Amino acid sequence: MALLVGVVGAGAYAVGSLYPPAFVTMVKPREAPAAPHASSEEGIAHTAQIEKQLMELPLVRHLLSAGDGGKGGENASGRVEGRPSDSIGVLSGSNPSTQSPSLETSPSSSTAEPYYIASRPYRRFPPSKLLHSLTAGTLRGPGRFAVPPLIVAKTKAGAAAEGGHEGDAYAFVHLGRSLCGHDGIIHGGLLATICDEAFARTAFFSLPSKVGVTARLELDYRAPTYADQFVVIQTSLVENRGRKAVVQGEIRDMNGKLLVSGKAIFVEPKFAKFLDTSLVKDAMDTHD
């Protein structure tokens, strides 16, 4: 009996070491080395690997292959343009309340406009502005936001065909180990920040001058968000009245698990029509 207990105990320990329960990883996360410098050989390789993994996510591959006629998607720095031949397809259940991000491809047509367009926020952001930008500059690099987010946003044609609104989107983000509050778990304030930016991007499409400020952001944290993983932020416009837009959304992991849900109100300043909004469009990559 003692031998049997010993064998079972040793087996349980081995399995637990390889696949520790979630509460164990929360109490005692695995050790991780410091993130490499972005310009180092290791840092460049790390960034390239994250970009490769991003483009190989099943949902991303499905979207981008549908967008470029089945050729496998754009290269790491490009975007799927909204040309008639680049019909990106339709996300089934584009309301953020769906259980997981699934996809159905729409019938392609040489004359059809794309239902979704992919873009990379911050890709065109001026280097001088990166110095003082939290998510585009300060938190950019290996171990943090290694690569720019990938956005797949609904077009006017997509909204007309499938419901919803122009700008409703899925945003794919990789969360590095250095973005934690408790080691191994992403800081809740950081999750609020990426929700704020993703929600804002959707709101801007419906505001008269395509720019606004956050008036209210409400979030419910449903489960711990672990570091070193990709998440998808799903957003949709709830209401638009003049200079006010309400957006709802949620964060899910790549298995469809709900991590954060919330709603935000954005208001366009009264003097917005006098502002040069090109920098905002550069940051959000919304010129098209």
Side-chain angles (χ1 to χ4, degrees), residues 168-190:
D168 290 355
Y170 281 34
F172 298 88
V173 180
H174 184 268
L175 303 172
R177 183 67 176 268
S178 301
L179 298 175
C180 296
H182 177 74
D183 189 16
I185 299 176
I186 299 299
H187 195 294
L190 189 282

Side-chain angles (χ1 to χ4, degrees), residues 51 54-55 60 63-64 74-82 88 116-124 147-154 167-173 201 205 281-288:
E51 181 72 19
L54 170 64
M55 292 303 182
V60 170
L63 285 166
L64 297 186
E74 283 288 283
N75 58 40
S77 60
R79 64 177 288 176
V80 178
E81 296 289 349
I88 244 178
Y116 280 80
I117 292 182
S119 62
R120 303 301 294 270
Y122 309 123
R123 185 170 59 90
R124 306 183 189 186
V147 299
L150 171 66
I151 310 294
V152 183
K154 184 175 288 185
D168 290 355
Y170 281 34
F172 298 88
V173 180
R201 192 181 190 279
F205 278 87
K281 293 179 179 179
D282 281 341
M284 297 295 182
D285 198 13
T286 55
H287 286 275
D288 299 322

Side-chain angles (χ1 to χ4, degrees), residues 16 24 35 41 65 67 75 84 96 111 183 189 199 203 213 217 240 243 264-265:
V24 173
E41 184 176 338
S65 64
N75 58 40
T111 60
D183 189 16
F199 290 13
V213 296
L217 176 64
N240 170 232
R243 296 187 297 108
I265 299 174

Side-chain angles (χ1 to χ4, degrees), residues 60-74 80 85-89 105-106 108:
V60 170
R61 286 181 62 86
H62 202 155
L63 285 166
L64 297 186
S65 64
D68 69 357
K71 297 189 290 293
E74 283 288 283
V80 178
S85 61
D86 288 339
S87 193
I88 244 178
T105 304
S106 64
S108 60

Side-chain angles (χ1 to χ4, degrees), residues 58-60 62-63 91-104 170 172 231-234 250-258:
L59 179 57
V60 170
H62 202 155
L63 285 166
L91 293 166
S92 67
S94 56
N95 186 314
S97 63
T98 53
Q99 292 301 307
S100 62
S102 57
L103 177 86
E104 290 180 359
Y170 281 34
F172 298 88
V231 296
V232 57
I233 310 164
Q234 306 170 48
E250 55 191 30
I251 302 178
R252 292 180 182 269
D253 65 18
M254 290 297 99
N255 293 318
K257 182 178 181 179
L258 179 61

